[in-house]
Amino acid sequence: MQRLASGIAILLATSACTTMEVHDGMPIVTEPMVAPILTTPEAQDNLTYAEPEKARVTHVALDLALDFAAKRVGGTADLRILADPGEERLVLDTNGLEISRVTDHVGRDLTFEIGEQVEEGGKGAPLIVMLNGVRNVRIHYMAPADAEALQWLSPEQTAGGEYPFLFSQGQAILNRTWIPTQDSPGIRQTWEARIIAPKPLDVVMSGVAQGEPEDLGDGRRAFRFIMDKPVPPYLIAIAAGDIDFRAIGPRTGVWAEPTVLPRAHAEVGDTEEMVVAAEELYGEYRWGRYDMIVLPPAFPYGGMENPVMTFLTPTFIAGDRSNNGLVAHELAHSWSGNLVTNAVWGDSWLNEGVTTYFENRIVEAVYGKKRAEQEAALMYANIQEVLGEVGNDAPGTALSTDGGYELGSAIAYDKGAFFLRTVERIVGRERFDAWLRQWFDNHAFQPATSEMFYEDMMQNLVASEAEAQALMLRDWIFAPGLPSNVAKPDPAAFAEVDAAVAAYADRRTIPTAYPNWTAAEQMRFLDNLPATLSAEQLAELDASLGLSDTGNNEILFLWLEMALENRYAPAVPLAEEFLARVGRAKFVRPLFGVLWDQGDWGRPIAQRIYAKTHDTYHAVTRAGVDRVMAAD
Ligand code: BES
Ligand code: ZN
């Protein structure tokens, strides 16, 4: 059914031109691309104080120094403002920043005020600046040592053990703890930065490095970066440490600590091929280079799609590229998320669900159908498990929500991916791929909402009333649970493993084929073993399947989870070692949760371990552990 869009998105100030000038050998963005904002009610972000329809930031220029001793970042942020001539008030987001002065472009003081701090949820406090007729504002500030976006690692927390390390994590609303700007995914900004760091540390950012660092002659160097495409500010990211670079393909490469680099480089060896596969699917890669940095294990996520510089946990390294869906995922965000961005966090599925679908298509193109179907089947099992726990009617199970990620990855990621898979099956791959490609092209460098996605499908994909009925689009996006038309995974994907699970449950048969299985098959097996296992059974499984010795952290995690759920004391030292080594929330939070659920047996163990590891975890991981250890 071809329908006209019913005017759901009003775009303001669209102009798309960027010019670069060269000053002292340094290109400067003079007229950055200005992206539109959305003004519809469903695109209003209640996690920002900004009033972008009145005055908004279009460009950020940071000049900051990293102080590793004090764990502080400070300097200036120059903001370029787009506002009506009469507009006098600029509202920014901050959380914990110490603002010493606000001036205009020639250094005259501007009046400013920090409003009331909201303690819950990290919204922080508004910084209100009286513009006094100017449209260029300089903020002089320092971020506190406990800025949540930043994690300062001691040398002991690195692989090399000799130098400190710093990384940032902006998504969702953490960047306001180190950058005073309008921190909303619907307010895109170009940016540039000059970052001073002590020698011999190197600095990378989610922007393009400009030449060699400048030696300041005082034991420090200044690094410059530019992002000339408008991005949501959660994508501004930094890392600094003793790191080296190694190329993969002509536009791909990886950074890591010197001792990690060989293993990291080997693991991501398919990246150039993945970029080629992604481009063949959904169009040109628009960001120039695709580099990655493998961070120390304290990084709280598996990966983060920072433009031109994906951040990765080292815990995905398995030696056999079996966890490389992670790289495909972060790469796919270069389209879904970074090019077309959810305007509000309640529509995260537009970033994560579309990306998870796209990830699976890259995996299929690079590793084949079997692996892609198996990974899809694991996602489907995850949806089923969560819906089984919370019920098909639970409001949080709609894709479009007004909240965050309480249900982990099952809804925004996996249900989102199965939505697109279902549409693909109904309309056919060729039509679906053409539609998704035009979605990215027509909304490139712009925010989007669930309503826009729906309207675009109705206008540009759906061919008849009968097809509209069959697709159940509004059910998928706005209703809880899993619609009846879901394109289920192929039951053959895990037929052999599922038979082995049944044989174990019936007769305790240990599958002799286990060592030859793919990582996904091994995970499927471990995930589906009976919930209650005796110490004798656990010992037998460990001994015959080599679970404690696996080099794959995803599998190690499943083993430890299953062991602790059954109060298997011999696994405690390994769990303790794992929880001390790894800071990834996806692993750490559930293991503490399992221990906590084990009452008198597990709680003292959890408390003992957490007392030792607490200070080494990122604020995101700590918040997750605190939550599970507060349960009764
Ligand atoms: N953008 C997310 C990470 C994220 C999500 C940060 C929510 C802050 C809030 C990233 O792309 C992601 O999804 N990472 C996953 C890996 C993926 C393969 C499912 C992760 O970290 O586990
Ligand atoms: Zn993601």
Side-chain angles (χ1 to χ4, degrees):
M1 168 172 44
Q2 298 290 332
R3 285 203 333 201
L4 286 177
S6 50
I8 53 150
I10 303 163
L11 302 181
L12 294 182
T14 320
S15 92
C17 96
T18 306
T19 42
M20 303 275 271
E21 268 173 33
V22 176
H23 294 279
D24 302 332
M26 195 65 64
I28 302 289
V29 180
T30 50
E31 256 183 73
M33 204 193 283
V34 175
I37 57 169
L38 298 171
T39 58
T40 46
E42 85 276 2
Q44 299 305 307
D45 177 9
N46 55 25
L47 295 176
T48 183
Y49 289 103
E51 299 169 354
E53 288 169 57
K54 296 182 181 161
R56 68 180 160 113
V57 176
T58 59
H59 184 76
V60 180
L62 300 172
D63 191 346
L64 301 173
L66 310 181
D67 180 344
F68 280 86
K71 301 188 173 180
R72 302 195 69 175
V73 174
T76 57
D78 290 356
L79 308 180
R80 197 171 305 151
I81 310 305
L82 183 66
D84 285 339
E87 187 56 50
E88 276 305 304
R89 246 167 62 105
L90 169 70
V91 186
L92 305 171
D93 293 301
T94 65
N95 188 1
L97 298 180
E98 290 166 22
I99 314 281
S100 51
R101 269 182 90 193
V102 179
T103 60
D104 66 12
H105 53 293
V106 290
R108 284 182 302 224
D109 277 299
L110 295 175
T111 310
F112 69 94
E113 171 194 354
I114 296 177
E116 207 177 314
Q117 171 92 9
V118 169
E119 292 304 338
E120 272 297 287
K123 188 169 177 180
L127 167 59
I128 301 154
V129 178
M130 301 315 290
L131 287 170
N132 200 21
V134 303
R135 294 296 179 259
N136 290 282
V137 170
R138 170 168 289 188
I139 302 176
H140 303 251
Y141 74 101
M142 287 273 267
D146 62 356
E148 283 182 41
L150 303 176
Q151 190 172 10
W152 302 85
L153 303 180
S154 64
E156 300 75 56
Q157 289 181 274
T158 67
E162 209 177 326
Y163 299 101
F165 204 104
L166 166 71
F167 64 80
S168 72
Q169 166 59 40
Q171 192 184 356
I173 57 167
L174 300 183
N175 266 352
R176 62 192 66 179
T177 67
W178 75 290
I179 304 174
T181 188
Q182 294 179 325
D183 188 14
S184 172
I187 310 176
R188 306 182 79 93
Q189 297 147 43
T190 51
W191 61 270
E192 63 197 288
R194 176 174 179 267
I195 306 288
I196 298 173
K199 285 207 262 193
L201 304 190
D202 270 313
V203 179
V204 296
M205 288 190 83
S206 53
V208 180
Q210 305 295 305
E212 288 299 308
E214 174 196 356
D215 198 320
L216 300 181
D218 60 356
R220 303 183 308 164
R221 295 187 296 171
F223 297 75
R224 284 177 186 265
F225 305 89
I226 293 183
M227 173 46 70
D228 65 350
K229 298 165 181 65
V231 293
Y234 72 87
L235 291 176
I236 304 177
I238 187 169
D242 174 24
I243 49 175
D244 284 341
F245 174 79
R246 209 157 135 189
I248 302 163
R251 59 180 154 173
T252 47
V254 60
W255 291 85
E257 287 189 69
T259 61
V260 179
L261 192 54
R263 282 186 302 131
H265 183 263
E267 203 73 8
V268 298
D270 299 320
T271 306
E272 186 74 32
E273 225 178 307
M274 288 186 181
V275 180
V276 171
E279 287 193 306
E280 277 170 10
L281 284 165
Y282 300 121
E284 178 201 3
Y285 177 76
R286 301 184 190 229
W287 304 88
R289 293 197 57 84
Y290 182 76
D291 292 327
M292 294 159 279
I293 177 168
V294 175
L295 294 162
F299 185 56
Y301 291 104
M304 180 63 213
E305 63 270 27
N306 299 314
V308 307
M309 188 65 67
T310 279
F311 283 20
L312 296 171
T313 175
T315 64
F316 86 105
I317 298 175
D320 60 2
R321 306 186 183 183
S322 56
N323 293 325
N324 278 10
L326 173 67
V327 177
H329 180 97
E330 305 313 337
L331 169 64
H333 272 305
S334 307
W335 288 258
S336 38
N338 298 359
L339 204 53
V340 187
T341 310
N342 51 227
V344 292
W345 291 113
D347 275 341
S348 306
W349 77 275
L350 287 172
N351 282 16
E352 299 299 346
V354 178
T355 292
T356 303
Y357 171 81
F358 191 165
E359 164 198 339
N360 198 251
R361 293 294 302 276
I362 297 172
V363 167
E364 181 183 320
V366 175
Y367 298 113
K369 245 197 159 56
K370 179 181 165 197
R371 175 162 166 180
E373 269 306 295
Q374 289 187 337
E375 292 183 5
L378 292 180
M379 290 174 204
Y380 191 72
N382 192 24
I383 307 174
Q384 298 289 29
E385 188 186 328
V386 166
L387 289 181
E389 277 162 25
V390 303
N392 243 301
D393 300 331
T397 66
L399 287 179
S400 176
T401 67
D402 41 18
Y405 289 102
E406 287 100 57
L407 300 177
S409 59
I411 301 304
Y413 288 66
D414 300 331
K415 179 182 170 182
F418 268 78
F419 169 36
L420 299 201
R421 177 185 162 101
T422 302
V423 176
E424 181 217 306
R425 291 295 157 89
I426 292 173
V427 305
R429 191 169 261 198
E430 202 177 323
R431 274 175 63 208
F432 179 76
D433 284 353
W435 176 79
L436 189 52
R437 184 189 278 240
Q438 72 78 39
W439 167 258
F440 292 138
D441 285 344
N442 291 331
H443 298 86
F445 302 110
Q446 292 176 28
T449 63
S450 285
E451 281 293 351
M452 288 166 67
F453 194 86
Y454 168 77
E455 285 291 337
D456 200 289
M457 279 194 155
M458 290 303 284
Q459 208 190 348
N460 298 317
L461 177 63
V462 179
S464 67
E465 186 61 45
E467 199 168 65
Q469 296 279 334
L471 285 166
M472 306 175 73
L473 298 178
R474 290 200 80 84
D475 283 332
W476 270 103
I477 299 171
F478 298 106
L482 209 50
S484 57
N485 66 352
V486 60
K488 295 202 178 89
D490 181 357
F494 284 127
E496 182 193 343
V497 180
D498 292 345
V501 167
Y504 184 83
D506 281 356
R507 307 182 289 281
R508 276 179 64 167
T509 314
I510 305 269
T512 49
Y514 179 92
N516 306 320
W517 283 348
T518 64
E521 288 168 334
Q522 296 184 347
M523 287 187 233
R524 173 79 165 201
F525 180 75
L526 297 175
D527 221 11
N528 287 296
L529 286 174
T532 305
L533 295 163
S534 67
E536 189 203 337
Q537 281 178 289
L538 288 161
E540 188 188 18
L541 286 165
D542 188 18
S544 33
L545 306 180
L547 299 174
S548 294
D549 299 324
T550 175
N552 185 322
N553 287 302
E554 298 280 349
I555 291 169
L556 183 59
F557 166 75
L558 290 177
W559 160 237
L560 292 173
E561 188 180 43
M562 157 168 111
L564 298 177
E565 271 167 355
N566 286 285
R567 305 190 177 192
Y568 182 59
V572 171
L574 186 58
E576 186 160 358
E577 184 270 318
F578 185 70
L579 290 167
R581 173 166 64 85
V582 166
R584 184 175 174 185
K586 174 184 145 178
F587 294 147
V588 170
R589 185 187 346 97
L591 290 181
F592 277 105
V594 167
L595 283 169
W596 200 249
D597 288 346
Q598 297 306 317
D600 290 346
W601 181 81
R603 290 186 183 191
I605 301 174
Q607 279 159 333
R608 177 170 55 76
I609 298 177
Y610 196 32
K612 281 193 273 184
T613 59
H614 175 278
D615 292 352
T616 69
Y617 293 154
H618 189 278
V620 164
T621 303
R622 275 205 304 264
V625 175
D626 289 344
R627 204 161 357 104
V628 297
M629 286 184 42
D632 275 332

